[in-house]
Amino acid sequence: MPEADAHPDHTPERAHAVVIRDGLHGAVQHLGACQERDLPALLGASLDVFDRAVDDDGTPHSQHHGRVTVLAHGGGTAGTGTRVEPGAGYRALCRLVSEANGRRRGPDGEAPVGVSRQRLAAHAVDPETGFPVLTVLLGLDSDVGAAMHGPRYLRPRTLFKEWVAAMPSGTVAVELLGPDTDAGSGVVVSHAARLLKLAREHQVPAILRLGPPASSPTDDGERASQRVVAAAGLRLSDLQQLGTDRDRLRERCRLDPVRDVELRGTAPDTEPAEMAGGLLAALREAGIRCAPRAEEEHVPAIDVDARLMRQAYRVLARQAGKGRVALFGQYPEQPGPGTGDPSPEGLLPGGLVDSGDGSAAPDAPPAIGSEPLGIVLADGLADRVPLQRGHLGLPMSQYSRAELDLLGLFTVEIRGSREQSVIAYAEHEIERLNPGTVLPTVLDAVWLEEHHPAALLAGRCEFGDLGQEARQAEADRLGIELLPAHVVHSAVESRAVESQAVESRAAESVTEEPAPVRLGLGTIPGLSGTDAKRIVAGRPYASVTELLERAGLSRTALQRLAEAGAVRGLAGGEGPELARTLQGMDFRTHAKRPEQVQGQLSLCLGAIP
């Protein structure tokens, strides 16, 4: 948005509007910028309108009524003459956008953003008072506007009558596109004139905007209005009515960022630590390891076992309650109003809208990352935040975390943590090796390193995203022997091996050496989890031949095992002998694991370093 001093002719009558395709992405940023510059703000969404229809043969199909602009009405302020309660228009627009973005997927798997005309009509009035809270602008992209390009006037008139009949009184207006210069296109003038005549015929308000690249000063707007009214064969009073309709709509849709949207720019009323504590308790009660992370500004963050992120979001949704929680995601950087296109649909010149640089409307709203970053909690969330379908079937906020903060809503970032996965795994290892061990209420890596280093190392080998050199370095630091993965001795996962008592002759005492850790088959690069499970299930093995027969391994899988040294000690498992085994075997016979043959099995080999 241009700075106020960039407009020497700035008056309180100027207003800045933003209309966003398929939602309200970035709307709070726009409202905040208008508030900083003391400019009246208008807010709307551009939505497709669909209805179900039936062909003559009974076949159902979707009837498209085109795209319309929906503006929210502001609450009652001095001089506006409106009886709308503060926030009623903004709440209705949020709910409408959420419904449009929550359509069920069709047979083709697609879920187009849009709303039926019946539902649009329902949202357009306050259910408690019956007063209009939204205005629907029928313009070029509506079915009426598209039909106006045809040679016949009957079709657009019929479509317009359908709109007037379907929508509550006082919720429909016509948007005209005027010529941007005195030498503007005759086609543009003719189209606007026909729409204006239609509006006057049905006593519906009409407003005119200029197409790009006009800077939309008042003089240009007046000249364009004169040309359209003249082309329509209307009178001077109709020219004056255009200005009256514009002014009335501007006042009706003027939003107060504080009264209508509850824009605060402050921390939520609820103490963040208290809210986060309740979420942590719910996660722990569900058996999900988690820990609070140091707060960033006033926004808390929770580290969660990375393996259980999906489950964690479901637990948090249940804890918050229906209608009180939504996800927020990763958003692209959004330019501020006036940089790029502050009015994507190019609304209304002549003192109603400052359209910035007049650039064209975007083809699509900003994409939200598919993976959530955290959750937002609030009572009546759907009245304050536009939502769309998100991860795990949960709603996703169209606002960024920064915008949610400006609304004073409580947000908490949920981060998948490998360290929490490591600690949970170490806890399971301790229970396996030493059942009944009493652990601290809050288990952390420092305590594990001091009391159960082997369990900690097993967890880091399994979930720490470490390469072989890093694993060995960590084992050396902890003083733990790290044993290689082997088809005879390894489980699928890395595990601490039961420690053995060792006699010390000098001290004539028995000490316990730290338990070694055996790497799991799952740590072998390129070996699938399915192959690892088959190897464990087919034991014991005395030769590579037996390994192939019982585990049904491919040549590639055997090569991966050999490269990791996981078949050393087996007959045919080393050097030239292994190479001959690979060359001499018909791997097509081992593509599928055969049924286990009943009978004597070969002896298990001893410990293999």
Side-chain angles (χ1 to χ4, degrees):
M1 177 186 300
E3 297 290 343
D5 59 4
H7 295 284
D9 62 339
H10 173 78
T11 70
E13 293 185 353
R14 289 187 70 84
H16 196 99
V18 63
V19 178
I20 303 163
R21 186 182 181 93
D22 292 342
L24 295 176
H25 314 79
V28 172
Q29 186 181 18
H30 162 71
L31 293 171
C34 288
Q35 185 181 38
E36 289 177 3
R37 294 162 175 81
D38 194 28
L39 282 174
L42 281 70
L43 180 63
S46 170
L47 298 172
D48 274 320
V49 181
F50 300 92
D51 272 327
R52 289 194 171 187
V54 179
D55 292 334
D56 294 338
D57 60 359
T59 304
H61 69 276
S62 179
Q63 182 178 1
H64 188 209
H65 297 295
R67 182 172 286 270
V68 299
T69 294
V70 185
L71 296 177
H73 292 188
T77 55
T80 63
T82 180
R83 293 175 289 181
V84 175
E85 290 295 319
Y90 174 75
R91 290 193 298 269
L93 185 59
C94 279
R95 291 193 296 266
L96 173 65
V97 165
S98 298
E99 184 172 320
N101 281 272
R103 291 166 59 94
R104 293 182 179 180
R105 298 186 184 278
D108 57 357
E110 296 295 324
V113 176
V115 67
S116 71
R117 189 156 57 186
Q118 180 183 11
R119 295 301 302 154
L120 179 59
H123 284 286
V125 294
D126 189 317
E128 297 183 3
T129 66
F131 295 143
V133 290
L134 299 175
T135 289
V136 178
L137 296 179
L138 303 179
L140 280 175
D141 295 328
S142 69
D143 54 355
V144 177
M148 273 295 181
H149 289 292
R152 301 182 61 187
Y153 191 62
L154 178 61
R155 177 59 177 164
R157 174 181 286 175
T158 301
L159 293 174
F160 191 78
K161 285 182 178 180
E162 291 176 358
W163 272 103
V164 173
M167 297 299 295
S169 176
T171 63
V172 175
V174 171
E175 182 186 22
L176 313 174
L177 176 65
D180 56 346
T181 64
D182 288 338
S185 168
V187 174
V188 172
V189 174
S190 174
H191 187 280
R194 296 176 75 187
L195 270 178
L196 178 60
K197 288 179 66 176
L198 195 58
R200 292 292 172 258
E201 180 182 333
H202 292 84
Q203 298 182 339
V204 170
I207 51 178
L208 181 136
R209 68 177 173 92
L210 300 183
S215 57
S216 301
T218 303
D219 289 345
D220 284 354
E222 292 298 329
R223 288 197 297 270
S225 298
Q226 292 170 5
R227 290 193 64 196
V228 171
V229 169
L234 299 177
R235 297 167 295 183
L236 178 62
S237 59
D238 293 292
L239 177 62
Q240 295 169 338
Q241 187 64 44
L242 267 181
T244 300
D245 289 346
R246 176 198 64 203
D247 294 341
R248 285 177 177 172
L249 184 66
R250 179 190 60 213
E251 291 303 318
R252 176 180 291 182
C253 297
R254 178 176 177 174
L255 294 180
D256 184 299
V258 177
R259 287 163 52 89
D260 287 306
V261 187
E262 299 182 64
L263 197 66
R264 301 180 186 178
T266 59
D269 295 332
T270 307
E271 178 63 34
E274 178 184 339
M275 291 284 286
L279 299 178
L280 285 166
L283 290 171
R284 287 167 179 161
E285 186 177 345
I288 299 174
R289 180 153 294 283
C290 57
R293 179 173 287 199
E295 294 186 9
E296 300 175 1
E297 298 179 353
H298 68 272
V299 182
I302 298 177
D303 285 341
V304 173
D305 185 340
R307 301 169 301 167
L308 302 176
M309 287 289 288
R310 296 169 67 90
Q311 183 181 342
Y313 276 114
R314 291 192 179 100
V315 168
L316 295 175
R318 286 196 300 269
Q319 169 71 9
K322 188 175 182 181
R324 296 189 67 248
V325 63
L327 309 174
F328 65 83
Q330 182 68 48
Y331 297 76
E333 261 187 54
Q334 299 169 356
T339 61
D341 185 12
S343 180
E345 295 294 332
L347 258 184
L348 313 176
L352 177 60
V353 173
D354 182 358
S355 58
D357 64 3
S359 56
D363 291 331
I368 303 175
S370 59
E371 291 297 322
L373 295 183
I375 60 173
V376 53
L377 297 173
D379 292 325
L381 189 65
D383 287 338
R384 301 193 62 194
V385 178
L387 306 172
Q388 63 186 55
R389 286 184 177 272
H391 196 61
L392 305 176
L394 297 175
M396 174 82 80
S397 164
Q398 289 190 344
Y399 291 157
S400 66
R401 189 175 74 175
E403 290 180 295
L404 295 171
D405 288 345
L406 287 174
L407 291 175
L409 301 178
F410 173 78
T411 58
V412 57
E413 189 171 350
I414 309 297
R415 304 177 182 178
S417 168
R418 290 183 179 272
E419 189 69 3
Q420 292 301 316
S421 301
V422 167
I423 294 171
Y425 188 81
E427 181 178 2
H428 301 137
E429 281 290 277
I430 294 169
E431 179 62 28
R432 182 179 64 83
L433 295 173
N434 304 291
T437 300
V438 178
L439 300 175
T441 304
V442 179
L443 194 62
D444 58 29
V446 175
W447 187 90
L448 286 169
E449 185 170 329
E450 181 179 352
H451 296 88
H452 295 278
L456 178 63
L457 178 61
R460 285 188 171 155
C461 288
E462 194 64 22
F463 296 104
D465 195 25
L466 304 176
Q468 181 56 36
E469 290 186 5
R471 292 192 195 108
Q472 188 60 58
E474 181 68 0
D476 294 341
R477 186 183 71 82
L478 295 173
I480 303 295
E481 182 182 7
L482 186 62
L483 303 176
H486 198 278
V487 294
V488 173
H489 300 288
S490 291
V492 175
E493 307 88 3
S494 300
R495 288 186 175 180
V497 181
E498 293 185 14
S499 60
Q500 299 176 351
V502 179
E503 288 190 20
S504 173
R505 294 182 181 177
E508 294 185 356
S509 62
V510 178
T511 61
E512 193 173 273
E513 289 187 346
V517 170
R518 171 75 70 176
L519 289 176
L521 294 172
T523 65
I524 297 176
L527 187 70
S528 71
T530 300
D531 284 339
K533 292 176 182 177
R534 287 177 177 172
I535 291 170
V536 172
R539 287 174 182 160
Y541 310 112
S543 67
V544 170
T545 301
E546 291 181 0
L547 174 65
L548 292 170
E549 288 176 348
R550 294 184 198 146
L553 299 179
S554 66
R555 180 188 296 270
T556 300
L558 181 57
Q559 288 174 331
R560 297 288 184 267
L561 292 168
E563 290 167 359
V567 293
R568 286 168 51 193
L570 297 184
E574 296 185 65
E577 191 175 358
L578 175 61
R580 287 194 296 271
T581 301
L582 288 170
Q583 294 173 359
M585 285 202 157
D586 182 2
F587 279 77
R588 287 174 296 179
T589 64
H590 305 295
K592 200 172 183 180
R593 183 183 174 184
E595 295 183 6
Q596 182 66 51
V597 178
Q598 298 294 325
Q600 185 177 0
L601 297 176
S602 54
L603 294 176
C604 180
L605 297 177
I608 300 176

